[in-house]
Amino acid sequence: MKVSRQQILYATIFLAALSVVVWLTATLTRETAVEELRRTGAGRLKLFVSNLTSELEKYEFLPQILAKDERIIRLLIQPGDRAHVTLVNRYLEQANTISGASDIYVIDQDGLTLVASNWNSPKPFVGKNFGFRPYFQAAIRGETGRYPALGMTSNRRGYYYASPVEANGRILGVAVVKVSPEAVEAAWAGAPEKVIVTDYNGVIFITNEPAWRFKTLRPLPAAVVDEIKLSRQYADSVLAPLPVVEERPYDHGGSFLTIQESSAVRYLIQSQEMPTHQWRVHLLSDTRKVDVQIAYFSGYAAVSVITIFLILMYLLQRRRNLIQRLQHQTQIEETLLHAHRDLEVQVRQRTEELTEANRQLDHKVREQQRTAEDLRNTQEELLQSAKLAALGQMSAGITHELNQPLTAIQTYLGIAQQLLEHRQYDELNGNLSDILSLTDRMARFTGQLKTFSRKSTTSISELPLKQTIEDALVLITHTHKQAVKILKSFPDYDVLVLADALRLEQVFVNLFKNAMEAMRDCKDAKLYVSIEPDGGSIRVQVRDTGPGVPAEDLSRLFEPFFTDKEAGIGLGLGLSISQDIVNSFGGTIKVTNHPAGGAEFTVTLQAAESGEFRASNTTPAGRS
Ligand code: ADP
């Protein structure tokens, strides 16, 4: 795993913070705890001192009282009086029991013990000489003796109070009360501190730590040790110094003392003088509980620092994650923005391209339209030229077409003259009718030619379809005297179409004429004519029972000059002209062969807006 510079920095800060906090906590805890120890110790020390003082004071005046006792004075004056000796022994025994002292005894001028409270014990003081004891020496001088020592006879510690027994201004002996420190020590035994009482030489005389008895706080000078030994104060005790390995003064009072026994223990030692006894009472408070407190609080501080650090790390990590997420989001937004811009650019480019393409397309369409227009014009011109050329070619036919009726007319006119002369009016009338029909035929023929050779103008209007068809039928039945059954299927209301009346009639005349001609050799010739509304259009169907149109000719029928008729009979222009006319009305004309035989022409015309059929075009009524 690669450790980043930042991680090293964090680790360093963490360790530094941890060290500082732990050090500060330890220092503060130590100062506070030691000060607390000192404060408590000071109070406790006072308590121990006052306890000891009060314990000793109980006995302080007892030797003085005994020294004034008549029985004791008499004893010292007459030491040989056995009965008195016994009496005083008993008295002392009693006094000792009542006072709770260790021993009470009386010594004569030479240091010899005359009476003692333990006179009746296995090791009585009676007969022992304590002349060497400093308390005796002080008392025999007239002073009050105070002396701590180890009993020579009893080998038990004691504090000796001695007072001179005087009579008539003369010191006869000394009254001694020995007080045991054991009761005090027993009271101190349960104390958490070590309490030691050192004498004027520094020897531990009273203590609640039995192992320290008769040891010294500091090493004593050899001369002093010799002197103590000589005085037999502490019998054969070694007076070894306590194993103090370190001593350091404490600024706020007392000092730290490290004593190395089974283990090194550091104590805060506080001392107080007891001037009346030339003693010094010391209180040694174990500082290990301070160490426990330091360890506890330092640990607590370390845990706190670690927790805070972990929280900080967590927050930092969270912040970093948030920043990363934000950056990521910003990146995405930027990418999107770029993509959006790119798209906009692309769209703009594409739009421009499309606009350009559109413009080019427009241009092409216009060009094509122009080309188409040119083509149409050329076609029309071509057609026109073709028509004219054809007309030239067909002039012979035309001449023949016109000459025939003309010749007939001439013949009819000759006959007419004769009929007139013979006043045969009926025949004349018939004759004239024939001439009329011939001229009609000629007129239609020339009319056809006119229509074909020039573009006629069309005037479209609403016109009654049924009437137009009827007119055409009348016309055709006049010109074609054939046995043809005409079957009409017309609505019984007016059907209005948009067309030019004359020209539309021309179309139907042409269709009927063709049908008639096709059925010329038919036996049961029938001509079906029907009108049917078809949405906004009107459909007219003209069907005959002739041979129909050969399949290969169906597509060519409307071509100009397409005909199966002999020259002079048909020009092949009829259907072509009819198609032109119908188209000019916005209509169509188509041809099919009927399944039952015969050709069927369908002319579709635009219905006039105001046509009646509109009101009822879905229910065509009667048929005729
Ligand atoms: P024309 O009648 O002068 O030949 P049209 O253009 O009117 O010229 O007719 C073209 C040709 O179409 C005719 O020659 C004929 O062969 C064919 N035709 C037209 N109508 C019919 C019909 N009802 N049945 C069969 N053939 C027809």
Side-chain angles (χ1 to χ4, degrees):
M1 197 183 81
K2 207 181 160 197
V3 180
S4 71
R5 194 177 294 176
Q6 199 179 36
Q7 281 171 329
I8 294 172
L9 180 73
Y10 285 158
T12 314
I13 292 173
F14 166 68
L15 287 174
L18 188 68
S19 313
V20 168
V21 169
V22 169
W23 178 78
L24 271 176
T25 310
T27 308
L28 282 173
T29 309
R30 184 179 297 112
E31 278 177 11
T32 315
V34 169
E35 183 52 24
E36 179 61 26
L37 205 66
R38 187 200 65 76
R39 230 160 27 80
T40 315
R44 301 263 304 162
L45 181 61
K46 264 193 196 124
L47 212 66
F48 286 124
V49 171
S50 83
N51 171 250
L52 185 61
T53 309
S54 68
E55 193 65 26
L56 293 174
E57 272 174 356
K58 286 200 291 189
Y59 303 99
E60 195 167 356
F61 301 103
L62 192 55
Q64 291 174 31
I65 294 164
L66 290 173
K68 301 282 184 237
D69 194 290
E70 280 304 323
R71 281 166 287 190
I72 289 170
I73 295 169
R74 191 181 147 196
L75 172 78
L76 287 169
I77 294 167
Q78 296 173 339
D81 184 345
R82 300 301 306 165
H84 189 65
V85 166
T86 306
L87 183 128
V88 176
N89 269 333
R90 288 210 174 105
Y91 167 62
L92 291 186
E93 188 179 1
Q94 207 170 21
N96 192 51
T97 308
I98 292 166
S99 67
S102 176
D103 297 291
I104 302 173
Y105 50 99
V106 179
I107 305 168
D108 69 8
Q109 292 175 358
D110 304 318
L112 183 71
T113 307
L114 298 179
V115 284
S117 56
N118 62 357
W119 66 283
N120 217 5
S121 72
K123 282 188 174 179
F125 291 173
V126 180
K128 302 275 179 213
N129 196 309
F130 296 119
F132 64 95
R133 287 294 200 188
Y135 62 83
F136 170 78
Q137 288 168 4
I140 210 74
R141 283 199 302 272
E143 296 163 16
T144 301
R146 293 163 191 261
Y147 186 64
L150 190 64
M152 298 240 312
T153 313
S154 63
N155 202 29
R156 291 177 65 189
R157 285 170 300 147
Y159 189 67
Y160 299 82
Y161 287 106
S163 286
V165 182
E166 293 173 61
N168 306 322
R170 204 165 60 91
I171 295 171
L172 302 174
V174 173
V176 184
V177 174
K178 180 184 174 187
V179 182
S180 168
E182 281 166 17
V184 177
E185 276 182 347
W188 295 353
E193 306 89 351
K194 309 258 189 233
V195 191
I196 55 177
V197 182
T198 49
D199 69 5
Y200 44 82
N201 282 320
V203 177
I204 299 167
F205 178 63
I206 305 170
T207 176
N208 59 357
E209 175 57 68
W212 291 0
R213 248 170 237 158
F214 303 118
K215 293 202 170 169
T216 59
L217 258 182
R218 289 171 194 83
L220 296 181
V224 175
V225 175
D226 290 347
E227 193 185 314
I228 295 169
K229 290 247 162 107
L230 203 66
S231 70
R232 306 284 298 152
Q233 186 178 5
Y234 298 119
D236 296 323
S237 300
V238 182
L239 304 177
L242 281 175
V244 175
V245 290
E246 193 197 352
E247 188 172 0
R248 195 161 53 81
Y250 176 47
D251 296 344
H252 301 282
S255 56
F256 294 108
L257 207 66
T258 308
I259 296 174
Q260 176 77 52
E261 284 176 315
S262 56
S263 63
V265 181
R266 203 159 74 112
Y267 297 97
L268 173 68
I269 179 164
Q270 291 163 281
S271 309
Q272 191 176 326
E273 295 286 348
M274 277 181 71
T276 45
H277 296 78
Q278 290 183 296
W279 286 357
R280 214 173 152 78
V281 182
H282 310 268
L283 186 82
L284 283 85
S285 307
D286 195 334
T287 61
R288 276 179 299 187
K289 68 177 178 184
V290 172
D291 295 337
V292 171
Q293 278 184 13
I294 290 169
Y296 176 77
F297 283 111
S298 300
Y300 184 77
V303 168
S304 302
V305 169
I306 291 167
T307 309
I308 290 168
F309 182 77
L310 287 176
I311 291 171
L312 274 174
M313 282 294 106
Y314 169 73
L315 288 175
L316 266 173
Q317 189 59 37
R318 229 174 89 112
R319 187 170 161 269
R320 201 175 301 145
N321 288 349
L322 262 174
I323 289 171
Q324 270 178 0
R325 213 176 304 156
L326 268 175
Q327 280 174 344
H328 185 62
Q329 218 165 322
T330 314
Q331 265 177 5
I332 290 174
E333 277 171 11
E334 272 176 12
T335 313
L336 275 176
L337 199 71
H338 278 129
H340 183 73
R341 279 191 196 134
D342 286 354
L343 201 69
E344 269 185 350
V345 169
Q346 277 178 11
V347 166
R348 214 166 23 245
Q349 277 176 355
R350 200 87 190 95
T351 310
E352 279 169 10
E353 281 169 19
L354 276 173
T355 312
E356 179 58 23
N358 210 12
R359 203 181 55 73
Q360 285 178 0
L361 201 67
D362 244 18
H363 183 68
K364 274 187 186 153
V365 166
R366 269 199 299 280
E367 268 187 354
Q368 267 178 2
Q369 277 175 345
R370 256 199 311 276
T371 315
E373 184 75 18
D374 291 350
L375 205 65
R376 209 164 28 249
N377 289 338
T378 316
Q379 211 172 12
E380 273 179 17
E381 277 163 21
L382 265 174
L383 199 60
Q384 201 69 5
S385 331
K387 280 176 183 175
L388 290 171
L391 273 176
Q393 280 178 0
M394 297 305 291
S395 56
I398 293 163
T399 313
H400 173 78
E401 187 75 16
L402 291 175
N403 273 347
Q404 219 182 14
L406 269 176
T407 316
I409 287 167
Q410 274 177 343
T411 313
Y412 277 128
L413 282 173
I415 295 166
Q417 269 181 331
Q418 287 171 9
L419 286 171
L420 193 63
E421 282 167 12
H422 294 99
R423 295 181 190 270
Q424 289 178 322
Y425 295 114
D426 284 347
E427 286 81 356
L428 178 65
N429 194 33
N431 203 325
L432 286 174
S433 291
D434 288 341
I435 293 170
L436 197 64
S437 100
L438 284 168
T439 51
D440 264 2
R441 182 177 152 195
M442 287 169 69
R444 264 208 312 284
F445 181 71
T446 52
Q448 268 192 20
L449 281 178
K450 206 168 86 185
T451 312
F452 187 73
S453 61
R454 71 172 162 78
K455 289 180 174 176
S456 59
T457 50
T458 308
S459 77
I460 294 172
S461 62
E462 292 182 5
L463 63 98
L465 181 64
K466 285 201 295 189
Q467 189 55 53
T468 312
I469 294 174
E470 292 286 3
D471 290 351
L473 280 170
V474 168
L475 208 60
I476 209 70
T477 45
H478 269 96
T479 51
H480 289 73
K481 305 280 186 215
Q482 277 175 247
V484 173
K485 197 172 181 186
I486 297 171
L487 296 156
K488 294 181 280 185
S489 176
F490 291 174
D492 58 357
Y493 52 83
D494 279 345
V495 179
L496 298 179
V497 292
L498 291 175
D500 179 296
L502 274 174
R503 286 160 63 73
L504 186 60
E505 190 186 305
Q506 188 186 341
V507 170
F508 287 117
V509 166
N510 192 41
L511 291 179
F512 297 154
K513 178 198 73 131
N514 282 347
M516 291 294 194
E517 284 171 357
M519 295 190 291
R520 188 169 294 133
D521 302 324
C522 277
K523 276 196 177 152
D524 191 16
K526 283 180 193 138
L527 179 66
Y528 297 90
V529 186
S530 69
I531 301 175
E532 267 184 73
D534 178 17
S537 306
I538 304 296
R539 195 168 58 232
V540 185
Q541 287 185 309
V542 178
R543 173 190 155 202
D544 58 54
T545 52
V549 184
E552 67 274 15
D553 294 342
L554 276 172
S555 59
R556 304 182 53 213
L557 225 57
F558 296 97
E559 286 180 9
F561 306 113
F562 178 81
T563 180
D564 61 352
K565 291 162 195 165
E566 293 167 22
I569 297 174
L571 280 172
L573 289 172
L575 287 178
S576 174
I577 292 166
S578 297
Q579 192 178 46
D580 273 356
I581 292 170
V582 173
N583 286 351
S584 72
F585 301 154
T588 58
I589 181 167
K590 285 176 180 149
V591 62
T592 53
N593 283 316
H594 195 270
E600 184 177 63
F601 286 84
T602 304
V603 178
T604 308
L605 296 162
Q606 284 183 22
E609 290 279 318
S610 55
E612 256 187 60
F613 75 94
R614 280 195 169 278
S616 56
N617 58 359
T618 49
T619 52
R623 307 257 166 185
S624 55

